[in-house]
Amino acid sequence: MKEPLLERAAPWLAVLALLVLWEGLVRLLEVRPFILPTPTAVVASWWEFLGPIKMHAWQTFWTTMLGFGIAVAFGLVAGFVLGSSRVLYKAFYPLLVGFNAIPKVAVVPILVVWFGIGAVPAVLTAFLLAFFPVLVNVATGLATLEPELEDVLRALGAKRTDVLFKVGLPRSMPYFFASLKVAITLAFVGAVVSETVASNKGIGYLMMSASSTMQTPLLFAGLIVISLMAMAMYVVFAKIEQRMTGWATRGQQAPG
């Protein structure tokens, strides 16, 4: 059933209302541009520096997607290994939580020492932030397989590998595809954080340069570019999740 027109337009109306409110308040209160620019000033700066913004945005995009892709591959494999063994799950899960609690900005200087300034620290930081959600969701989907269901399958002659591959893995797919939406946004955060510290390219570097020269409209333009890229990829993976795991929620939808 198609969404009503108002529901489809609601996000755009909310954004438009926010921009109008932002523009009006800045002009009414006469806030200086270097403190908080108006949306029109941000758009003007975006147009003025369109060439550099496109170049830096492409750098951030490909480093993010590379780190994200590695995180998905390793997270899927590691999640399957941990989720398939209750002993491994209980042994390593606390260690993974502890590692994930470390602020990744604190890891960037170590990556710079190991790999130097450039794209590699950005890729690895994106990987580190995106890896944990994928691993945890896949491992949890497998580790929480109902013991009763497993007992019935084993009684019917299914082997442990049959239970994992034919029941456990498909059951964990909704968790996996849901984790992609979280992981991709975190990957962008990781790449930009690394670029602000250890790169001479990327939106993070552009924003740091704009900040050092008090070009606040350009700084906000960089923020908007990052948010647009992250939202676009979020929508892509939301569509993939809906297409690949619609069977998992079909029975929960109210009849229309």
Side-chain angles (χ1 to χ4, degrees), residues 50-64 188 195 201-203 206 225-226 229:
L50 182 59
I53 287 175
K54 288 170 63 177
M55 184 268 290
H56 288 293
W58 171 246
Q59 174 74 17
T60 298
F61 181 78
W62 78 259
T63 54
T64 299
F188 274 104
E195 288 169 353
K201 287 183 181 179
I203 292 295
L206 178 68
V225 169
I226 284 294
M229 288 195 296

Side-chain angles (χ1 to χ4, degrees), residues 137 173-182 233-249:
N137 277 272
M173 284 300 98
Y175 295 87
F176 168 67
F177 285 106
S179 72
L180 297 183
K181 298 185 295 183
V182 178
M233 296 311 301
Y234 181 95
V235 170
V236 168
F237 287 112
K239 293 294 184 181
I240 294 175
E241 178 193 13
Q242 185 179 9
R243 178 65 64 87
M244 300 297 294
T245 63
W247 55 268
T249 57

Side-chain angles (χ1 to χ4, degrees), residues 103-167:
K104 299 305 179 287
V105 67
V107 180
V108 175
I110 299 175
L111 298 178
V112 173
V113 172
W114 290 349
F115 302 102
I117 293 176
V120 175
V123 171
L124 292 177
T125 310
F127 162 78
L128 290 175
L129 265 76
F131 172 74
F132 187 75
V134 176
L135 181 149
V136 168
N137 277 272
V138 174
T140 300
L142 288 170
T144 56
L145 184 65
E146 293 84 352
E148 297 82 2
L149 177 59
E150 188 172 350
D151 291 341
V152 170
L153 293 171
R154 297 294 291 272
L156 292 173
K159 299 179 181 179
R160 174 63 176 167
T161 54
D162 294 329
V163 175
L164 287 175
F165 282 98
K166 296 182 179 179
V167 179

Side-chain angles (χ1 to χ4, degrees), residues 19-34:
L19 292 175
V20 171
L21 181 63
W22 177 2
E23 183 88 22
L25 286 177
V26 171
R27 291 184 180 276
L28 180 64
L29 299 176
E30 298 182 347
V31 181
R32 296 183 178 181
F34 71 88

Side-chain angles (χ1 to χ4, degrees), residues 197-222:
V197 178
S199 182
N200 53 10
K201 287 183 181 179
I203 292 295
Y205 170 78
L206 178 68
M207 291 171 61
M208 286 299 295
S209 300
S211 176
S212 64
T213 56
M214 300 300 288
Q215 292 179 288
T216 310
L218 180 57
L219 184 61
F220 274 81

Side-chain angles (χ1 to χ4, degrees), residues 62-80:
W62 78 259
T63 54
T64 299
M65 295 308 296
L66 181 57
F68 171 76
I70 298 172
V72 170
F74 277 85
L76 186 58
V77 173
F80 180 81

